[in-house]
Amino acid sequence: GDAVRFIEQQLADGPKPSADLKAAAEAAGLSWTGAVRRAADRLGIEKKPSEVVKSQHVVSHASSSRLIV
């Protein structure tokens, strides 16, 4: 669906801060707590604490090591 394509496009170039991804999702009219989270689960997205900014997360796609910091 739209949320899956959104995540794939957003992570195509590598890591992104979760806050940036959330803002982009909301600007695109996608629900961060609904559609985007469900799509992330389907894609095997993994969130990890950032070593640089502890309040944010790193999110990676298992098949391509794409991350959200």
Side-chain angles (χ1 to χ4, degrees):
D2 290 341
V4 169
R5 283 190 296 278
F6 169 80
I7 291 172
E8 290 174 336
Q9 290 170 349
Q10 290 293 311
L11 299 182
D13 295 327
K16 290 205 176 176
S18 58
D20 291 353
L21 187 63
K22 180 180 180 183
E26 290 171 350
L30 297 170
S31 168
W32 177 253
T33 58
V36 175
R37 297 249 172 156
R38 286 189 300 273
D41 289 344
R42 281 194 295 265
L43 290 169
I45 299 296
E46 179 182 347
K47 296 177 189 168
K48 298 179 184 176
S50 169
E51 292 181 18
V52 177
V53 181
K54 295 296 182 187
S55 64
Q56 293 187 353
H57 289 86
V58 173
V59 179
S60 68
H61 188 285
S63 66
S64 66
S65 298
R66 292 179 286 182
L67 304 175
I68 302 169
V69 179

